Amino acid sequence: MLKYAFRRILGMIPMLFLTSIVVFSLAKLMPGDSLSGEIDPRNTDPKYIADMREKLGYNDPLPQQYFHWIGNFVQGDFGKSTRFKIPAAEVIGERIPNTLLLGLSSILITYILAFLMGSYSGRKPYTLGDNIIGGLNYLGLSIPSFVAGVFAIFLFSFTLGWFPSNGSIDIGVTEGTLDYWLSRLHHVFLPAVVLGLLSTASYTQFLRNDIIENSRKDFVRTARAKGTPERKIYNVHILRNSMIPLITFLGFDLVAIISGAIITETIFTYPGLGQLFLDSVGTRDYPVLMTLTMLFSFLTLIGNLVADVFYGIVDPRIRLE
Amino acid sequence: MEIVTEKDPKIFRALPKKSLSPWAMARKKFKKNKLAMASLFFLIAVAILSFLAPYITTADVSRINIGEMSLEPSSKHWLGTDRAGRDVFTRLLYGGRISLLVGISCTVFVILLGTLIGSISGYFGGAVDSLLMRFTDFILNFPFLVFVIVLNAILFGKINGLWVLIGTISILSWGGIARIVRSKILAEKENEYITAAISIGCSPAKIIMKHLIPNILSTIIVQATITFATMIVAETGLSFLGFGVPQEIPSWGNMLNSANEPDVLQFKLWIWVPPALIITITILSINFIGEGLKDAFNPKSRR
């Protein structure tokens, strides 16, 4: 197993290298460059700008520029944000906790909801409750997250007033207090539900079908014959078997959250990485844009890796390839 | 499961008749699926209405009319007007045109590219296979939304806006189809009729086109349906964010974009609810059709 995981991790390195070339080329293809972040904005003398361009290496051949950039990149120097005039790492670091909180709460909500609905539906298939859950699932799979987000804001923020419609924190709450954390959770709840909608629906469906399938297997019949209480059969015997495949979805969750965060954070004006990414595209803040694109690509790679490795644990046949 | 017993008089009587071809069987099964049929009719109706938009409404779709800003629905404007005084119903029809066009074009490109790469990879195997599959993995490892947005930002203004979007979405989405087609081809090419075709000297292109593809066509059709729904979501989502179809062209996503303004979202429901509903119902019906097709092509399902 370790060998398999190790092989997969080694396979990631060329992928990362290729991705970095693509990201670099894309950034070079974009109009303009990130000069304005590095030079003194008050000095607009053309000679000074030309000198600075030379000094910063913008006239070097492209491969040299690439190795300069990637060399700095792996050492943790991501360049200076042209918009905020501070290192890109700081700009991004500031936003990471927000997106992390959003992603974690989304996964938590997804798993809790999917577990409750899926195990109910699986236990009582083809009943009214199962059909209602099935209908909701269809809706969850079909309604795009931005439509769901817009409706959620309209209903829960504006009409009912239960949740705030934007931001990540109330104004005037001191950091570290209980109120602070409650306020943050209050703000993150709605975007997290919207972000997890699609996975909630598919997990519920998966869990339901798996429970129904497992409940027809021989070990369940044996358990029934022994006189095991019905509740114990479902909670211990079946659920334990049905939960395992669900864990393997965790890697795909990571991938889904990256794309989802861009949309969800924009709708809820939640100050996270997704919103920062769109802002940096809009304002042509290349250092931040490139770093974020690399970060997202890296996380997608990790997500796919985690999915593969978990699959390898659950289904040993995959390891031999 | 499907043992014919003489006790069942209906089947017994039907035996001498010529049995249906797999396609006819699928068609029959699909027609019995009420939900899928209703969805199909809805989708056709939306498509016809959208593509006949110039003959249905006379209102000018792009003209900004300051005198008629944000009007509520009335007999003159069935769904009211938006913040620039344009008729929402007219925009909905024209928007459907763009959204469906982008969806269909992307689906066609994705299916063609995915099938091409998947079938070559699966048929030839060996070095070709591992090279193409590493490339597919590489494409699949890009976070889709991130790269579509960046590519759009680069190409914007250089080529006609709509084709930039269609191109970028297609280039980044064929990976999944290629994998599925490859695995299907891998299984299918083990059959004896393929060995026979090779032995009588068929060219690889002919074997793939004439023998392999027709046999995995049902999978491709089901995948195309799912892809169609995904592509519509991608277009509307990107346009909603302001990185999709150029703002001056109406699309369902662009129309929903106005819901980003709190004032519109809270008080001017007629501007954003129609596109939101039509997107959701369209996706829902495509998904129902996809489920129906999957069922219809599955010889084991008896519904």
Side-chain angles (χ1 to χ4, degrees):
Chain A
M1 186 62 228
L2 265 177
K3 217 172 110 191
Y4 168 75
F6 190 66
R7 212 169 58 210
R8 292 287 328 202
I9 290 168
L10 274 184
M12 258 175 68
I13 293 168
M15 284 285 182
L16 267 179
F17 179 66
L18 284 174
T19 310
S20 75
I21 292 180
V22 171
V23 171
F24 179 78
S25 323
L26 288 180
K28 281 288 150 197
L29 283 170
M30 284 181 119
D33 54 35
S34 56
L35 190 69
S36 50
E38 308 278 346
I39 58 169
D40 186 354
R42 285 160 299 183
N43 193 344
T44 50
D45 180 20
K47 191 178 174 307
Y48 165 75
I49 290 176
D51 282 351
M52 282 307 281
R53 284 186 68 90
E54 184 63 42
K55 202 178 130 201
L56 291 167
Y58 287 126
N59 299 333
D60 291 344
L62 279 179
Q64 204 177 330
Q65 282 191 46
Y66 168 75
F67 283 110
H68 181 73
W69 171 70
I70 197 75
N72 283 341
F73 195 91
V74 290
Q75 288 169 39
D77 177 7
F78 306 137
K80 230 173 186 181
S81 162
T82 54
R83 185 161 154 238
F84 300 101
K85 315 287 179 210
I86 51 171
E90 268 178 50
V91 179
I92 291 167
E94 228 169 68
R95 304 287 191 102
I96 286 180
N98 279 336
T99 298
L100 208 62
L101 183 68
L102 178 64
L104 284 180
S105 2
S106 160
I107 289 181
L108 204 66
I109 292 170
T110 300
Y111 274 63
I112 291 173
L113 282 181
F115 178 76
L116 290 177
M117 292 198 297
S119 51
Y120 176 85
S121 274
R123 212 168 293 195
K124 298 188 170 78
Y126 312 111
T127 56
L128 181 68
D130 173 45
N131 286 336
I132 291 173
I133 290 174
L136 285 177
N137 270 333
Y138 256 116
L139 207 60
L141 287 172
S142 294
I143 191 165
S145 63
F146 52 96
V147 176
V150 167
F151 272 115
I153 291 184
F154 176 73
L155 192 64
F156 295 111
S157 299
F158 288 156
T159 310
L160 297 170
W162 289 353
F163 294 98
S165 67
N166 56 18
S168 69
I169 186 83
D170 281 332
I171 306 160
V173 191
T174 33
E175 200 167 328
T177 57
L178 183 67
D179 276 353
Y180 172 81
W181 284 106
L182 284 178
S183 169
R184 291 199 64 166
L185 287 181
H186 193 208
H187 278 83
V188 90
F189 184 77
L190 212 51
V193 171
V194 170
L195 184 55
L197 194 68
L198 189 73
S199 353
T200 309
S202 46
Y203 290 8
T204 308
Q205 200 87 328
F206 182 87
L207 194 61
R208 169 188 182 269
N209 294 342
D210 208 61
I211 289 177
I212 293 175
E213 198 177 308
N214 271 335
S215 64
R216 296 201 186 109
K217 284 194 177 150
D218 286 349
F219 70 87
V220 174
R221 205 191 315 153
T222 312
R224 280 220 178 93
K226 280 197 309 185
T228 318
E230 198 70 4
R231 242 181 60 212
K232 203 180 164 196
I233 292 178
Y234 273 104
N235 289 341
V236 178
H237 296 231
I238 293 177
L239 216 51
R240 223 184 247 179
N241 278 299
S242 295
M243 284 300 280
I244 298 168
L246 215 56
I247 306 287
T248 59
F249 290 161
L250 203 64
F252 295 121
D253 270 340
L254 197 64
V255 179
I257 279 172
I258 294 163
S259 284
I262 296 176
I263 291 178
T264 321
E265 286 178 4
T266 309
I267 301 171
F268 290 90
T269 38
Y270 184 85
L273 293 177
Q275 206 199 22
L276 182 68
F277 171 75
L278 281 190
D279 282 350
S280 69
V281 175
T283 56
R284 309 222 173 272
D285 190 349
Y286 294 120
V288 174
L289 179 61
M290 283 164 89
T291 315
L292 277 179
T293 312
M294 281 303 286
L295 180 69
F296 289 148
S297 307
F298 180 65
L299 288 177
T300 309
L301 265 176
I302 296 273
N304 288 336
L305 175 82
V306 168
D308 277 358
V309 170
F310 276 154
Y311 261 135
I313 296 173
V314 176
D315 185 352
R317 283 170 301 178
I318 289 176
R319 280 181 241 162
L320 315 154
E321 196 192 299
Chain B
M1 260 210 168
E2 295 171 29
I3 302 160
V4 180
T5 52
E6 290 184 24
K7 278 174 202 157
D8 196 333
K10 232 166 80 190
I11 292 171
F12 187 66
R13 243 185 285 126
L15 266 180
K17 262 209 240 158
K18 193 178 169 240
S19 62
L20 293 166
S21 78
W23 292 101
M25 236 147 72
R27 199 155 53 231
K28 212 171 146 195
K29 233 192 276 182
F30 188 81
K31 274 187 190 156
K32 269 193 206 148
N33 189 339
K34 287 196 190 81
L35 204 56
M37 281 309 274
S39 304
L40 189 64
F41 281 125
F42 172 78
L43 203 65
I44 292 173
V46 169
I48 289 176
L49 279 178
S50 302
F51 286 99
L52 292 181
Y55 304 103
I56 292 169
T57 70
T58 47
D60 191 345
V61 67
S62 56
R63 204 187 60 192
I64 290 169
N65 192 341
I66 299 169
E68 295 188 333
M69 272 177 358
S70 310
L71 290 182
E72 280 183 40
S74 62
S75 57
K76 192 180 169 210
H77 299 290
W78 289 356
L79 294 172
T81 58
D82 68 2
R83 305 238 304 172
R86 294 168 295 197
D87 185 51
V88 172
F89 182 67
T90 308
R91 273 172 72 77
L92 206 60
L93 292 184
Y94 277 91
R97 235 174 156 180
I98 298 296
S99 292
L100 292 177
L101 182 76
V102 172
I104 291 171
S105 323
C106 290
T107 309
V108 169
F109 285 132
V110 164
I111 292 295
L112 283 182
L113 209 60
T115 309
L116 184 75
I117 294 187
S119 51
I120 290 176
S121 185
Y123 180 75
F124 289 104
V128 179
D129 181 31
S130 43
L131 192 74
L132 283 175
M133 275 303 113
R134 285 298 83 75
F135 184 56
T136 310
D137 283 347
F138 180 56
I139 295 284
L140 278 173
N141 270 325
F142 284 134
F144 172 74
L145 208 53
V146 173
F147 276 83
V148 171
I149 290 172
V150 170
L151 272 173
N152 258 349
I154 293 172
L155 295 172
F156 192 75
K158 288 182 184 151
I159 320 169
N160 179 350
L162 215 52
W163 292 102
V164 173
L165 186 72
I166 293 171
T168 44
I169 293 180
S170 311
I171 283 173
L172 288 167
S173 323
W174 54 267
I177 306 290
R179 268 193 186 171
I180 292 167
V181 169
R182 174 183 171 266
S183 68
K184 280 276 160 190
I185 294 266
L186 274 182
E188 195 66 35
K189 77 167 180 183
E190 296 304 319
N191 286 325
E192 269 133 14
Y193 70 89
I194 298 297
T195 322
I198 296 170
S199 68
I200 60 168
C202 280
S203 69
K206 194 170 181 189
I207 294 174
I208 292 175
M209 294 296 290
K210 284 241 161 172
H211 299 293
L212 286 172
I213 302 275
N215 277 306
I216 60 163
L217 203 57
S218 61
T219 312
I220 296 177
I221 291 173
V222 171
Q223 285 305 317
T225 321
I226 299 167
T227 310
F228 185 39
T230 321
M231 293 299 123
I232 290 185
V233 173
E235 182 277 320
T236 46
L238 283 163
S239 302
F240 173 77
L241 292 175
F243 288 92
V245 178
Q247 283 294 318
E248 66 274 9
I249 304 173
S251 89
W252 290 340
N254 276 347
M255 291 177 74
L256 196 58
N257 184 290
S258 59
N260 275 328
E261 295 157 39
D263 173 51
V264 172
L265 183 56
Q266 198 166 2
F267 302 114
K268 288 164 187 149
L269 287 158
W270 63 89
I271 295 178
W272 65 269
V273 170
L277 281 183
I278 198 104
I279 292 171
T280 310
I281 299 174
T282 305
I283 306 291
L284 200 61
S285 53
I286 296 173
N287 282 346
F288 281 140
I289 294 172
E291 284 289 313
L293 285 175
K294 210 192 275 175
D295 240 24
F297 286 131
N298 184 0
K300 280 182 200 134
S301 83
R302 287 263 147 198
R303 261 210 294 168

